[in-house]
Amino acid sequence: MRKWEENVKKVVPYTPGEQPQKKGIIKLNTNECPYPPSPLVEKKIKEMAYEDLRLYPEFPEKTQLAAELAAYHQVSEEEIFIGVGSDDVLSMAFLTFFQAGKPILFPDITYSFYDVWADVYGIPFQTKALAEDLTINPEDYLADNGGVIFPNPNAPTGTLLCLEDVEKIVAANQDVVVIVDEAYIDFGGISALPLLKKYENLLVVRTFSKSRAMAGARIGYAVGSAKLISYLNNVKYSVNSYTMNRPSLELGVEAVKDDAYFKEICGRIIATRTRTEERLKSLGFTFPKSYGNFIFAAHHEVKAGYIFEKLKEYDIYVRHWEKERISNYLRITIGTDEEMDALFRALREIIKQI
Ligand code: PMP
Protein backbone atom coordinates (compact mmCIF):
# COMPACT_ATOMS: atom_id res chain seq x y z
CA MET A 1 0.00 0.00 0.00
CA ARG A 2 1.33 3.47 -0.87
CA LYS A 3 1.85 5.95 1.97
CA TRP A 4 -1.04 8.21 0.88
CA GLU A 5 -3.39 5.24 0.78
CA GLU A 6 -2.98 4.69 4.51
CA ASN A 7 -4.94 7.90 5.09
CA VAL A 8 -7.82 7.21 2.72
CA LYS A 9 -11.29 6.47 4.07
CA LYS A 10 -12.01 2.90 3.04
CA VAL A 11 -15.58 1.75 2.85
CA VAL A 12 -17.49 -1.06 1.20
CA PRO A 13 -20.21 0.76 -0.74
CA TYR A 14 -23.86 -0.21 -0.96
CA THR A 15 -24.67 -2.33 -4.00
CA PRO A 16 -27.88 -1.15 -5.67
CA GLY A 17 -29.93 -3.41 -7.95
CA GLU A 18 -28.74 -3.72 -11.53
CA GLN A 19 -29.93 -1.10 -14.01
CA PRO A 20 -29.63 -3.05 -17.29
CA GLN A 21 -29.83 -0.74 -20.30
CA LYS A 22 -31.16 -3.43 -22.62
CA LYS A 23 -34.54 -2.53 -24.16
CA GLY A 24 -37.61 -4.65 -23.52
CA ILE A 25 -36.51 -6.26 -20.28
CA ILE A 26 -38.91 -6.84 -17.40
CA LYS A 27 -37.39 -5.00 -14.48
CA LEU A 28 -38.61 -6.33 -11.16
CA ASN A 29 -35.40 -5.76 -9.19
CA THR A 30 -35.43 -2.27 -7.64
CA ASN A 31 -39.02 -1.76 -6.46
CA GLU A 32 -39.71 0.98 -8.98
CA CYS A 33 -43.31 1.70 -9.91
CA PRO A 34 -44.40 0.09 -13.19
CA TYR A 35 -46.70 3.03 -13.98
CA PRO A 36 -45.68 6.52 -15.10
CA PRO A 37 -45.88 9.50 -12.74
CA SER A 38 -49.12 11.50 -12.55
CA PRO A 39 -50.29 13.22 -15.77
CA LEU A 40 -49.93 16.50 -13.84
CA VAL A 41 -46.19 15.79 -13.64
CA GLU A 42 -46.11 15.16 -17.39
CA LYS A 43 -47.93 18.43 -18.06
CA LYS A 44 -45.59 20.37 -15.80
CA ILE A 45 -42.44 18.93 -17.35
CA LYS A 46 -43.60 20.18 -20.75
CA GLU A 47 -44.34 23.67 -19.42
CA MET A 48 -41.23 24.17 -17.31
CA ALA A 49 -39.08 27.21 -18.09
CA TYR A 50 -35.61 25.94 -18.97
CA GLU A 51 -34.06 29.41 -18.44
CA ASP A 52 -34.63 29.00 -14.71
CA LEU A 53 -31.94 26.36 -14.66
CA ARG A 54 -29.31 29.09 -14.64
CA LEU A 55 -30.47 29.98 -11.13
CA TYR A 56 -29.68 27.99 -8.02
CA PRO A 57 -32.71 26.28 -6.60
CA GLU A 58 -34.53 27.56 -3.54
CA PHE A 59 -33.81 25.96 -0.19
CA PRO A 60 -36.11 22.93 -0.10
CA GLU A 61 -37.82 23.83 3.17
CA LYS A 62 -38.87 27.19 1.70
CA THR A 63 -40.42 25.69 -1.44
CA GLN A 64 -43.96 25.01 -2.51
CA LEU A 65 -43.10 21.32 -2.23
CA ALA A 66 -42.52 21.73 1.52
CA ALA A 67 -45.82 23.63 1.79
CA GLU A 68 -47.69 20.93 -0.18
CA LEU A 69 -46.22 18.12 1.91
CA ALA A 70 -46.95 19.97 5.15
CA ALA A 71 -50.58 20.48 4.09
CA TYR A 72 -50.84 16.87 2.93
CA HIS A 73 -49.69 15.54 6.29
CA GLN A 74 -51.36 18.29 8.32
CA VAL A 75 -48.13 19.47 9.91
CA SER A 76 -46.23 22.75 9.67
CA GLU A 77 -43.47 23.39 7.11
CA GLU A 78 -40.96 23.43 9.99
CA GLU A 79 -41.74 19.76 10.46
CA ILE A 80 -40.72 18.77 6.90
CA PHE A 81 -37.21 18.03 5.61
CA ILE A 82 -36.69 17.37 1.90
CA GLY A 83 -33.75 15.51 0.36
CA VAL A 84 -32.42 13.85 -2.78
CA GLY A 85 -34.38 10.65 -2.41
CA SER A 86 -34.90 9.10 1.00
CA ASP A 87 -31.31 7.80 0.78
CA ASP A 88 -30.12 11.39 1.18
CA VAL A 89 -32.60 12.04 3.99
CA LEU A 90 -31.56 8.86 5.81
CA SER A 91 -27.88 9.52 5.32
CA MET A 92 -28.25 13.03 6.81
CA ALA A 93 -30.32 11.60 9.65
CA PHE A 94 -27.61 9.05 10.49
CA LEU A 95 -25.04 11.85 10.53
CA THR A 96 -27.23 14.15 12.63
CA PHE A 97 -28.89 11.89 15.16
CA PHE A 98 -26.71 8.84 15.75
CA GLN A 99 -23.83 10.46 17.62
CA ALA A 100 -24.30 8.90 21.06
CA GLY A 101 -21.25 6.67 20.71
CA LYS A 102 -23.47 3.74 21.67
CA PRO A 103 -24.58 1.13 19.14
CA ILE A 104 -27.65 2.00 17.12
CA LEU A 105 -30.06 -0.88 16.53
CA PHE A 106 -31.62 -2.24 13.35
CA PRO A 107 -32.76 -5.66 12.12
CA ASP A 108 -30.26 -8.22 10.76
CA ILE A 109 -32.31 -8.50 7.59
CA THR A 110 -33.22 -5.02 6.41
CA TYR A 111 -32.32 -2.27 3.98
CA SER A 112 -28.66 -2.96 3.33
CA PHE A 113 -27.71 0.72 3.21
CA TYR A 114 -28.03 1.09 7.00
CA ASP A 115 -24.77 -0.66 7.85
CA VAL A 116 -23.02 1.20 5.02
CA TRP A 117 -24.01 4.61 6.47
CA ALA A 118 -23.08 3.45 9.95
CA ASP A 119 -19.64 2.43 8.65
CA VAL A 120 -19.00 5.54 6.60
CA TYR A 121 -19.92 7.81 9.52
CA GLY A 122 -18.18 5.66 12.15
CA ILE A 123 -21.42 4.90 14.00
CA PRO A 124 -21.36 1.69 16.05
CA PHE A 125 -24.32 -0.61 15.40
CA GLN A 126 -25.88 -3.85 16.54
CA THR A 127 -28.30 -5.90 14.49
CA LYS A 128 -31.27 -7.74 15.97
CA ALA A 129 -32.26 -11.04 14.38
CA LEU A 130 -35.69 -11.20 12.78
CA ALA A 131 -37.93 -13.96 14.11
CA GLU A 132 -38.16 -17.26 12.20
CA ASP A 133 -41.18 -15.90 10.29
CA LEU A 134 -39.06 -12.87 9.27
CA THR A 135 -40.96 -10.38 11.44
CA ILE A 136 -39.35 -7.74 13.68
CA ASN A 137 -39.63 -8.45 17.40
CA PRO A 138 -40.25 -5.07 19.11
CA GLU A 139 -38.88 -6.39 22.42
CA ASP A 140 -35.40 -6.44 20.83
CA TYR A 141 -35.38 -2.64 20.62
CA LEU A 142 -36.18 -1.70 24.19
CA ALA A 143 -32.70 -1.96 25.79
CA ASP A 144 -30.22 0.95 26.08
CA ASN A 145 -28.93 2.05 22.63
CA GLY A 146 -27.68 4.99 20.56
CA GLY A 147 -30.74 5.19 18.32
CA VAL A 148 -33.07 2.90 16.39
CA ILE A 149 -33.92 2.60 12.71
CA PHE A 150 -36.12 0.16 10.85
CA PRO A 151 -38.20 0.22 7.71
CA ASN A 152 -41.92 -0.33 8.10
CA PRO A 153 -42.86 -2.35 6.09
CA ASN A 154 -39.43 -3.94 6.38
CA ALA A 155 -37.38 -4.47 3.24
CA PRO A 156 -36.69 -6.88 1.64
CA THR A 157 -39.12 -9.02 3.66
CA GLY A 158 -42.29 -6.90 3.24
CA THR A 159 -43.49 -7.62 6.78
CA LEU A 160 -45.32 -4.93 8.76
CA LEU A 161 -45.06 -3.91 12.38
CA CYS A 162 -48.42 -2.78 13.77
CA LEU A 163 -48.73 0.77 15.10
CA GLU A 164 -48.86 -0.43 18.74
CA ASP A 165 -45.48 -2.15 18.31
CA VAL A 166 -43.96 0.88 16.59
CA GLU A 167 -45.19 3.04 19.48
CA LYS A 168 -43.74 0.60 21.99
CA ILE A 169 -40.29 1.10 20.41
CA VAL A 170 -40.60 4.89 20.18
CA ALA A 171 -41.94 5.23 23.73
CA ALA A 172 -39.16 3.08 25.20
CA ASN A 173 -36.45 5.09 23.42
CA GLN A 174 -37.24 8.71 24.23
CA ASP A 175 -33.59 9.48 25.05
CA VAL A 176 -32.54 8.73 21.46
CA VAL A 177 -33.95 9.27 17.98
CA VAL A 178 -36.08 6.56 16.40
CA ILE A 179 -36.30 6.61 12.61
CA VAL A 180 -39.12 4.79 10.86
CA ASP A 181 -38.30 4.39 7.17
CA GLU A 182 -41.71 4.33 5.47
CA ALA A 183 -40.49 3.87 1.87
CA TYR A 184 -43.22 1.24 1.31
CA ILE A 185 -45.98 2.40 3.67
CA ASP A 186 -48.43 3.32 0.89
CA PHE A 187 -48.98 -0.29 -0.15
CA GLY A 188 -51.20 -1.24 2.77
CA GLY A 189 -49.28 -0.30 5.93
CA ILE A 190 -50.33 1.88 8.86
CA SER A 191 -48.11 4.92 9.17
CA ALA A 192 -46.36 6.09 12.34
CA LEU A 193 -47.14 9.74 11.44
CA PRO A 194 -49.94 10.10 14.07
CA LEU A 195 -47.34 9.31 16.75
CA LEU A 196 -45.48 12.54 15.92
CA LYS A 197 -47.94 14.47 18.09
CA LYS A 198 -46.75 12.51 21.11
CA TYR A 199 -43.03 11.91 20.49
CA GLU A 200 -40.51 14.56 19.52
CA ASN A 201 -37.78 11.90 19.09
CA LEU A 202 -39.55 10.23 16.15
CA LEU A 203 -38.54 10.82 12.53
CA VAL A 204 -40.69 9.34 9.75
CA VAL A 205 -38.97 9.09 6.35
CA ARG A 206 -40.84 8.86 3.04
CA THR A 207 -39.97 8.69 -0.66
CA PHE A 208 -41.48 9.60 -4.04
CA SER A 209 -39.56 6.68 -5.61
CA LYS A 210 -42.10 3.90 -5.10
CA SER A 211 -45.75 4.86 -4.66
CA ARG A 212 -45.37 8.17 -6.52
CA ALA A 213 -43.53 6.60 -9.46
CA MET A 214 -40.71 9.15 -9.41
CA ALA A 215 -37.50 7.27 -8.58
CA GLY A 216 -35.72 9.21 -11.33
CA ALA A 217 -36.59 12.59 -9.79
CA ARG A 218 -34.87 11.69 -6.48
CA ILE A 219 -37.27 13.14 -3.93
CA GLY A 220 -37.45 11.97 -0.34
CA TYR A 221 -38.57 13.69 2.83
CA ALA A 222 -38.81 13.35 6.56
CA VAL A 223 -41.55 14.44 8.92
CA GLY A 224 -40.62 15.10 12.53
CA SER A 225 -40.76 17.66 15.33
CA ALA A 226 -39.56 21.16 14.34
CA LYS A 227 -36.62 20.64 16.68
CA LEU A 228 -35.47 17.43 14.96
CA ILE A 229 -35.90 19.00 11.53
CA SER A 230 -33.89 22.09 12.46
CA TYR A 231 -30.98 19.91 13.61
CA LEU A 232 -31.22 17.98 10.35
CA ASN A 233 -31.15 21.18 8.30
CA ASN A 234 -28.12 22.48 10.16
CA VAL A 235 -26.13 19.37 9.27
CA LYS A 236 -27.42 19.28 5.71
CA TYR A 237 -26.46 22.92 5.09
CA SER A 238 -23.01 22.14 6.47
CA VAL A 239 -22.52 19.53 3.76
CA ASN A 240 -24.19 20.92 0.63
CA SER A 241 -26.60 23.85 0.37
CA TYR A 242 -28.18 23.13 -2.98
CA THR A 243 -28.94 19.43 -3.00
CA MET A 244 -32.37 19.42 -4.63
CA ASN A 245 -32.55 20.39 -8.29
CA ARG A 246 -35.16 22.88 -9.48
CA PRO A 247 -37.13 20.56 -11.78
CA SER A 248 -37.58 17.90 -9.08
CA LEU A 249 -38.83 20.45 -6.57
CA GLU A 250 -41.44 21.64 -9.08
CA LEU A 251 -42.46 18.19 -10.29
CA GLY A 252 -42.85 16.89 -6.77
CA VAL A 253 -45.56 19.50 -6.14
CA GLU A 254 -47.64 18.15 -9.02
CA ALA A 255 -47.30 14.58 -7.77
CA VAL A 256 -48.58 15.53 -4.31
CA LYS A 257 -51.52 17.46 -5.82
CA ASP A 258 -52.75 14.41 -7.73
CA ASP A 259 -53.95 12.31 -4.82
CA ALA A 260 -56.52 10.45 -6.94
CA TYR A 261 -53.84 9.16 -9.32
CA PHE A 262 -51.56 8.24 -6.41
CA LYS A 263 -54.34 6.21 -4.77
CA GLU A 264 -55.24 4.58 -8.05
CA ILE A 265 -51.74 3.27 -8.80
CA CYS A 266 -51.23 2.08 -5.23
CA GLY A 267 -54.55 0.22 -5.49
CA ARG A 268 -53.50 -1.37 -8.77
CA ILE A 269 -50.18 -2.52 -7.33
CA ILE A 270 -51.90 -4.01 -4.28
CA ALA A 271 -54.37 -5.90 -6.53
CA THR A 272 -51.51 -7.25 -8.68
CA ARG A 273 -49.66 -8.24 -5.51
CA THR A 274 -52.62 -10.33 -4.35
CA ARG A 275 -52.86 -12.01 -7.73
CA THR A 276 -49.08 -12.65 -7.79
CA GLU A 277 -49.18 -14.14 -4.28
CA GLU A 278 -51.80 -16.67 -5.38
CA ARG A 279 -49.82 -17.65 -8.45
CA LEU A 280 -46.50 -17.92 -6.62
CA LYS A 281 -48.18 -20.16 -4.06
CA SER A 282 -49.51 -22.39 -6.83
CA LEU A 283 -45.93 -22.83 -8.08
CA GLY A 284 -44.65 -23.91 -4.66
CA PHE A 285 -43.25 -20.63 -3.36
CA THR A 286 -43.64 -19.49 0.23
CA PHE A 287 -43.30 -15.92 1.51
CA PRO A 288 -44.26 -13.72 4.41
CA LYS A 289 -47.38 -11.62 3.75
CA SER A 290 -46.12 -8.52 2.00
CA TYR A 291 -47.18 -4.95 2.69
CA GLY A 292 -44.73 -3.54 0.11
CA ASN A 293 -44.63 -3.36 -3.68
CA PHE A 294 -42.60 -6.58 -3.72
CA ILE A 295 -42.76 -10.18 -2.52
CA PHE A 296 -39.89 -11.97 -0.76
CA ALA A 297 -40.30 -15.54 -1.90
CA ALA A 298 -38.48 -18.87 -1.54
CA HIS A 299 -39.19 -22.06 -3.47
CA HIS A 300 -39.38 -25.31 -1.56
CA GLU A 301 -37.32 -27.24 -4.14
CA VAL A 302 -35.51 -24.92 -6.53
CA LYS A 303 -32.67 -22.72 -5.28
CA ALA A 304 -33.23 -18.96 -5.51
CA GLY A 305 -29.79 -18.34 -7.06
CA TYR A 306 -30.65 -20.73 -9.89
CA ILE A 307 -34.05 -19.15 -10.56
CA PHE A 308 -32.48 -15.68 -10.43
CA GLU A 309 -29.95 -16.54 -13.17
CA LYS A 310 -32.47 -18.44 -15.27
CA LEU A 311 -34.94 -15.54 -15.19
CA LYS A 312 -32.29 -13.32 -16.77
CA GLU A 313 -32.35 -15.63 -19.80
CA TYR A 314 -36.00 -14.61 -20.12
CA ASP A 315 -34.96 -10.95 -19.74
CA ILE A 316 -36.61 -10.81 -16.33
CA TYR A 317 -34.61 -9.21 -13.51
CA VAL A 318 -35.43 -9.78 -9.86
CA ARG A 319 -33.21 -9.30 -6.77
CA HIS A 320 -31.21 -11.97 -4.97
CA TRP A 321 -28.69 -11.68 -2.12
CA GLU A 322 -26.01 -14.29 -1.48
CA LYS A 323 -26.35 -13.57 2.23
CA GLU A 324 -26.86 -15.69 5.33
CA ARG A 325 -30.52 -16.54 6.11
CA ILE A 326 -31.87 -15.03 2.89
CA SER A 327 -29.86 -16.68 0.11
CA ASN A 328 -32.83 -18.84 -0.81
CA TYR A 329 -35.17 -15.89 -1.31
CA LEU A 330 -35.92 -13.74 -4.32
CA ARG A 331 -37.30 -10.25 -3.93
CA ILE A 332 -39.75 -9.73 -6.74
CA THR A 333 -41.05 -6.22 -7.40
CA ILE A 334 -44.72 -6.00 -8.36
CA GLY A 335 -44.92 -4.89 -11.98
CA THR A 336 -47.95 -4.59 -14.25
CA ASP A 337 -50.33 -7.55 -14.61
CA GLU A 338 -48.75 -8.29 -18.01
CA GLU A 339 -45.24 -8.29 -16.54
CA MET A 340 -46.33 -10.62 -13.75
CA ASP A 341 -47.96 -12.91 -16.32
CA ALA A 342 -44.61 -13.12 -18.15
CA LEU A 343 -42.84 -13.80 -14.86
CA PHE A 344 -45.32 -16.55 -14.02
CA ARG A 345 -44.84 -18.24 -17.42
CA ALA A 346 -41.05 -18.12 -17.06
CA LEU A 347 -41.14 -19.44 -13.48
CA ARG A 348 -43.44 -22.29 -14.51
CA GLU A 349 -41.00 -23.37 -17.22
CA ILE A 350 -37.92 -22.99 -15.00
CA ILE A 351 -39.47 -25.05 -12.21
CA LYS A 352 -40.77 -27.71 -14.63
CA GLN A 353 -37.26 -28.26 -16.00
CA ILE A 354 -35.92 -29.37 -12.61
N1 PMP B 1 -35.53 2.86 2.27
C1 PMP B 1 -35.79 1.63 1.83
C2 PMP B 1 -36.28 0.61 2.79
C3 PMP B 1 -35.61 1.30 0.47
O1 PMP B 1 -35.85 0.06 0.05
C4 PMP B 1 -35.17 2.30 -0.41
C5 PMP B 1 -35.03 1.98 -1.89
N2 PMP B 1 -33.80 1.46 -2.25
C6 PMP B 1 -34.88 3.56 0.10
C7 PMP B 1 -35.09 3.82 1.44
C8 PMP B 1 -34.31 4.65 -0.75
O2 PMP B 1 -35.12 5.06 -1.77
P1 PMP B 1 -34.94 6.49 -2.47
O3 PMP B 1 -33.56 6.99 -2.17
O4 PMP B 1 -35.14 6.21 -3.91
O5 PMP B 1 -35.99 7.36 -1.88
Side-chain angles (χ1 to χ4, degrees):
M1 198 189 281
R2 299 279 177 89
K3 188 76 189 148
W4 62 264
E5 273 189 278
E6 287 171 17
N7 300 320
V8 168
K9 189 168 191 96
K10 295 174 196 75
V11 285
V12 181
Y14 169 72
T15 318
E18 285 174 82
Q19 295 293 357
Q21 295 307 309
K22 205 169 151 186
K23 285 261 173 295
I25 62 156
I26 296 181
K27 198 168 172 307
L28 308 175
N29 68 337
T30 49
N31 295 344
E32 287 144 332
C33 179
Y35 304 110
S38 149
L40 295 189
V41 174
E42 184 187 9
K43 183 165 174 281
K44 183 76 181 179
I45 220 166
K46 289 177 178 156
E47 291 169 1
M48 267 174 358
Y50 87 96
E51 314 89 68
D52 287 352
L53 283 177
R54 75 191 171 77
L55 301 171
Y56 281 113
E58 284 174 276
F59 295 127
E61 73 276 16
K62 304 268 188 284
T63 55
Q64 199 191 336
L65 181 56
E68 284 301 329
L69 287 170
Y72 189 78
H73 291 302
Q74 297 172 341
V75 296
S76 71
E77 287 165 50
E78 289 70 45
E79 292 164 287
I80 301 280
F81 175 88
I82 298 174
V84 187
S86 53
D87 278 344
D88 179 41
V89 177
L90 290 164
S91 155
M92 286 296 119
F94 267 63
L95 191 53
T96 310
F97 300 122
F98 292 159
Q99 299 295 334
K102 288 188 215 166
I104 61 163
L105 307 181
F106 50 83
D108 64 338
I109 302 166
T110 194
Y111 186 29
S112 43
F113 223 140
Y114 297 163
D115 53 281
V116 175
W117 285 315
D119 279 342
V120 77
Y121 295 137
I123 298 163
F125 66 91
Q126 222 180 65
T127 58
K128 296 289 177 185
L130 294 186
E132 221 25 64
D133 64 356
L134 299 181
T135 55
I136 290 177
N137 179 4
E139 309 297 326
D140 289 341
Y141 298 85
L142 309 182
D144 190 40
N145 62 66
V148 177
I149 177 160
F150 57 90
N152 200 34
N154 194 10
T157 55
T159 59
L160 185 79
L161 211 52
C162 66
L163 192 57
E164 291 70 35
D165 284 344
V166 173
E167 178 159 13
K168 197 177 199 181
I169 295 173
V170 181
N173 284 292
Q174 295 189 54
D175 290 343
V176 295
V177 173
V178 177
I179 303 176
V180 184
D181 176 355
E182 293 193 338
Y184 302 104
I185 198 70
D186 299 317
F187 304 105
I190 306 288
S191 174
L193 284 170
L195 300 179
L196 289 171
K197 288 198 181 69
K198 270 167 87 177
Y199 303 98
E200 71 167 12
N201 62 319
L202 169 65
L203 191 76
V204 177
V205 178
R206 296 279 188 97
T207 178
F208 281 45
S209 299
K210 321 292 177 185
S211 52
R212 294 194 185 273
M214 289 180 76
R218 311 303 300 126
I219 309 171
Y221 63 102
V223 194
S225 62
K227 204 165 189 181
L228 277 195
I229 299 298
S230 74
Y231 281 123
L232 203 44
N233 272 321
N234 287 346
V235 169
K236 179 256 184 67
Y237 288 119
S238 306
V239 176
N240 182 354
S241 329
Y242 301 111
T243 48
M244 293 296 292
N245 68 71
R246 264 178 183 276
S248 290
L249 285 166
E250 288 187 37
L251 297 174
V253 169
E254 302 305 305
V256 181
K257 276 186 194 160
D258 201 348
D259 205 38
Y261 181 81
F262 161 72
K263 291 204 169 101
E264 185 200 320
I265 60 173
C266 289
R268 268 201 250 167
I269 289 166
I270 293 168
T272 307
R273 182 179 70 200
T274 306
R275 203 168 150 254
T276 308
E277 281 171 343
E278 284 157 15
R279 296 177 108 185
L280 287 176
K281 247 184 234 161
S282 75
L283 289 177
F285 283 92
T286 51
F287 41 85
K289 176 164 172 46
S290 173
Y291 291 85
N293 64 340
F294 53 86
I295 296 173
F296 197 54
H299 195 268
H300 64 100
E301 280 174 348
V302 192
K303 290 256 184 312
Y306 175 81
I307 303 175
F308 171 73
E309 290 301 335
K310 275 280 169 198
L311 280 174
K312 284 190 191 175
E313 293 173 17
Y314 291 81
D315 282 340
I316 300 175
Y317 286 73
V318 297
R319 194 93 196 256
H320 173 246
W321 289 270
E322 215 33 273
K323 221 171 148 181
E324 223 184 307
R325 287 191 85 188
I326 60 168
S327 61
N328 207 28
Y329 284 86
L330 295 172
R331 191 198 65 190
I332 305 168
T333 302
I334 303 299
T336 60
D337 279 331
E338 295 70 34
E339 287 174 325
M340 301 325 268
D341 287 348
L343 171 78
F344 183 68
R345 285 194 298 274
L347 286 174
R348 200 167 48 193
E349 283 180 29
I350 294 167
I351 287 161
K352 213 164 57 190
Q353 286 159 11
I354 294 291

